[in-house]
Amino acid sequence: MDALVQQLCTAEHDITASRIGSVDELRGSLGRGYLLLEFEGTRGGTELGVRLDDEAVNHAANDLDREAAVVRLTGGLRLNQVDVRCVAELNVETMRGTGRLTVVEP
């Protein structure tokens, strides 16, 4: 398995919602079903574009409407020729949180 994929699958990592500076910008990303997350524990950081699951988008949007401090996001992407799923929790006030990847078996 690819070393970066393996590293991001082995534990929870600190993340930042890249290029998101406000709740309104987060809402916009949720509306598009796509979010950039930066995994900070790699050399120089690794920014990944996550195609969010519809159900995750609906829950996160509802949580934002209730002014929840933390939203849970899930979605898929392909990293270095490996299909993976991302599970992340994001603090809405700071746009920081934790996340991890899991390999999607064919």
Side-chain angles (χ1 to χ4, degrees):
M1 179 186 311
D2 178 80
L4 178 60
V5 173
Q6 187 171 358
Q7 178 184 358
L8 295 178
C9 287
T10 56
E12 293 284 321
H13 297 272
D14 290 335
I15 61 167
T16 301
S18 302
R19 307 174 202 194
I20 301 288
S22 69
V23 174
D24 287 336
E25 290 176 2
L26 179 58
R27 267 186 224 284
S29 286
L30 292 175
R32 291 185 294 278
Y34 189 81
L35 184 64
L36 292 173
L37 296 174
E38 181 176 344
F39 283 72
E40 300 173 350
T42 62
R43 283 181 272 157
T46 300
E47 186 176 64
L48 302 176
V50 179
R51 179 117 1 243
L52 300 170
D53 298 338
D54 290 338
E55 186 176 325
V57 168
N58 292 335
H59 285 296
N62 289 337
D63 287 343
L64 288 177
D65 289 340
R66 288 192 302 251
E67 298 181 11
V70 176
V71 293
R72 183 175 171 91
L73 302 164
T74 60
L77 64 135
R78 189 167 181 87
L79 176 60
N80 296 345
Q81 306 304 315
V82 178
D83 291 326
V84 294
R85 291 200 44 77
C86 176
V87 177
E89 289 191 354
L90 190 65
N91 181 303
V92 176
E93 292 180 23
T94 63
M95 297 299 164
R96 298 178 61 79
T98 58
R100 79 177 302 152
L101 301 181
T102 57
V103 174
V104 175
E105 298 298 328

